Amino acid sequence: MDFDLTEEQQLLRDVTRDVLSRREGVRTESEPGWSREVWGQLAEVGILGLGFDPTEAGQIEVMVVLTEIGRRLAPEPVAQAALVPGGLIAELGSDEQKQILDAVATGETLLAFAHAEPGSRLPSAEPATRAEKSGDGWTITGRKNPVLAGDTADTVVVTAALPDGGVGLFIIDGATDGAAVNRRSYRTFDGRRGAQLDFDSTPAEPLGDGGDATEHVARTVIRFQSALCAEAVGAMEEALRLTTEYLTSRKQFGVPLSKFQTLTQRAADMYVSLELARSMNFYAAMSIADGRFDPVIAARAKFQIGRSGRHIAQEAIQLHGGIGMTAEYPVGHYAARLTAIDNTFGTTDDQLRALVEHVGDYGTVSL
C-alpha cells in the first residue's frame, strides 16, 4: 500500500502551510476568534471548496489540509464551517441548494453541521430534535449543542427525527435569529467558539429530496471524525517537535536535558504514539476515499488517536516543566486542542464501547 502523497497533494500541503504561516500567534482573542483575512486567503487558493467535486479532491486532500491546520493550531473552522457541511450539501442537495457552495468556496458564506445534542454521548444516537410537517413545508423544534462554528454560521444543516421514523436533514437560515432560532455563542475549552441553537417551530427546508437520511448522517459523522483525526495528528507532530527542541536546548546541571536517558526514552515513546496515530489517520482517510464508510474503522482511528493525543499532550507538558503550564507557551494550547478533539463525536472511552459491541463479529482463531 502506498502512503506517499502525490505531487499535487504535496503542493496542497505546502500551499496550506504557507498561508497559515503568515498568521501571527496561535490564537485570536477578538471575535469571531479567527482571522477573516486568513479565511479569505484559504478561499483564494481553493481550500474551502475541497471535496465539493469528488472528481477533483477527496478525503485524502482534506486530511492533508487538516493536518497542517492542526500543526499550526489555526483556529479557522475549515472543516466545521466549510468542508464537512459543504460536502454533505454537495452530496445530497438539490441544484438550487448546491448554488450556496460557490459562496462557501469563496469564503463569503459560513456553514455549520448541527447534529450533537445535550446528553448524547455517541454521534449515532437518534436526535431528540423533531421535524414536523407544516402545510407545504417543515418546521424544526429542539436543541443542538455543541454546534461547532455555529456562532458564525450563515446556513445550518440540521439533523432531526422524522414523524414516520428515521433521521432527516434540513437547511435552516442561520440569520433567522429571534423567536424561531435562539443562538447562544460561547468559548469552548480549547479557546475556539461554539454555539447552542434552540429551534422553536423554525421553518426548515429539506436537504435534497428529503426523507430518511440516516445513512448520509452516519457518513458525514465519519468524515468529520476523519478530519478531526487529521488535525490531531498535526497537533501531535508539532507538540513532539517543540518537546524535542526544548530537550536539546534546555540545560540542567550544565548539560542539555537530551543527555538524560530517561527523558529521551519518554520522547521516543511519544514518537511511537505519533506513528500509531499517523497510520490510523491514513487508514481512516483512505477508507473513505475508497468509498468505505465503516463506523468500526472510524472508531478504531479515533480511539487510537485519542490515546496517542492524551499521551503526547501530557508528556509534552511534563517534559517542558513549569513553562509547559503557561498560557504564553504553545504546548498547553496543543494539549487543550487535543483534549477537545478527543471529546468531539465520541471520546476514547465511547469509541472503545462502540468497538466492544462488534467483538462478536470476529471469528475465533484455533491452533
Side-chain angles (χ1 to χ4, degrees):
M1 184 175 291
D2 186 8
F3 288 95
D4 293 329
L5 299 178
T6 65
E7 291 185 6
E8 291 79 7
Q9 291 164 349
Q10 292 177 26
L11 179 60
L12 176 63
R13 177 198 61 195
D14 295 341
V15 168
T16 306
R17 187 176 298 179
D18 179 61
V19 171
L20 297 179
S21 66
R22 302 172 196 166
R23 68 176 359 270
E24 296 181 4
V26 297
R27 298 180 64 178
T28 303
E29 297 297 335
S30 60
E31 296 299 333
W34 45 272
S35 170
R36 296 278 185 179
E37 180 181 357
V38 173
W39 190 256
Q41 293 171 351
L42 292 171
E44 287 178 6
V45 296
I47 289 174
L48 300 186
L50 282 178
F52 294 175
D53 185 349
T55 62
E56 295 183 357
Q59 195 66 28
I60 300 297
E61 286 72 23
V62 172
M63 179 197 72
V64 169
V65 169
L66 266 295
T67 301
E68 293 306 315
I69 286 175
R71 180 180 287 110
R72 185 60 183 173
L73 206 62
E76 284 71 31
V78 173
Q80 300 91 327
L83 302 189
V84 174
L88 183 56
I89 294 175
E91 182 179 7
L92 279 185
S94 63
D95 292 338
E96 182 179 354
Q97 291 168 342
K98 289 179 182 179
Q99 293 179 4
I100 193 177
L101 297 178
D102 292 334
V104 174
T106 58
E108 300 171 30
T109 296
L110 300 173
L111 304 174
F113 178 55
H115 178 58
E117 296 183 351
S120 61
R121 296 181 61 88
L122 293 176
S124 59
E126 182 176 339
T129 300
R130 314 297 300 183
E132 299 291 343
K133 194 72 174 170
S134 178
D136 295 333
W138 289 83
T139 60
I140 300 292
T141 299
R143 172 174 293 176
K144 295 292 184 178
N145 186 35
V147 180
L148 304 179
D151 57 316
T152 56
D154 302 302
T155 300
V156 184
V157 181
V158 184
T159 59
L162 297 172
D164 298 328
V167 179
L169 284 164
F170 298 86
I171 290 181
I172 293 179
D173 184 359
T176 314
D177 289 332
V181 179
N182 182 19
R183 185 194 323 230
R184 183 175 69 84
S185 303
Y186 52 82
R187 184 187 291 268
T188 56
F189 168 77
D190 55 345
R192 308 296 174 92
R193 304 297 197 278
Q196 174 177 294
L197 301 181
D198 290 300
F199 305 105
D200 184 11
S201 297
T202 304
E205 177 185 352
L207 182 61
D209 296 331
D212 185 12
T214 302
E215 180 182 350
H216 294 283
V217 173
R219 289 159 64 105
T220 302
V221 169
I222 290 173
R223 284 197 186 100
F224 217 140
Q225 289 174 323
S226 175
L228 290 170
C229 287
E231 185 181 350
V233 168
M236 284 184 256
E237 288 177 350
E238 186 63 12
L240 177 57
R241 187 194 68 80
L242 289 170
T243 302
T244 54
E245 185 180 83
Y246 180 80
L247 292 177
T248 56
S249 61
R250 179 76 166 89
K251 291 185 178 182
Q252 193 169 22
F253 306 115
V255 297
L257 293 178
S258 58
K259 296 297 182 180
F260 294 88
Q261 188 176 37
T262 300
L263 300 185
T264 56
Q265 288 173 343
R266 290 170 67 177
D269 288 340
M270 293 170 66
Y271 177 75
V272 171
S273 288
L274 172 60
E275 288 305 306
L276 286 171
R278 197 197 311 275
S279 62
M280 291 305 297
N281 177 43
F282 266 95
Y283 181 32
M286 294 173 73
S287 296
I288 295 173
D290 289 340
R292 187 180 179 191
F293 292 84
D294 189 337
V296 174
I297 294 177
R300 286 174 181 169
K302 201 162 188 303
F303 172 73
Q304 179 58 58
I305 285 170
R307 291 184 62 182
S308 294
R310 183 180 181 86
H311 174 223
I312 291 174
Q314 290 180 342
E315 285 291 81
I317 291 177
Q318 288 285 333
L319 293 177
H320 273 84
I323 193 176
M325 298 293 293
T326 62
E328 291 77 17
Y329 198 73
V331 162
H333 299 293
Y334 281 99
R337 182 57 187 153
L338 288 169
T339 302
I341 289 175
D342 182 41
N343 283 271
T344 304
F345 287 114
T347 65
T348 300
D349 290 341
D350 294 329
Q351 306 304 332
L352 181 59
R353 293 189 189 96
L355 291 173
V356 166
E357 295 178 359
H358 292 274
V359 169
D361 298 342
Y362 300 92
T364 303
V365 177
S366 56
L367 300 178

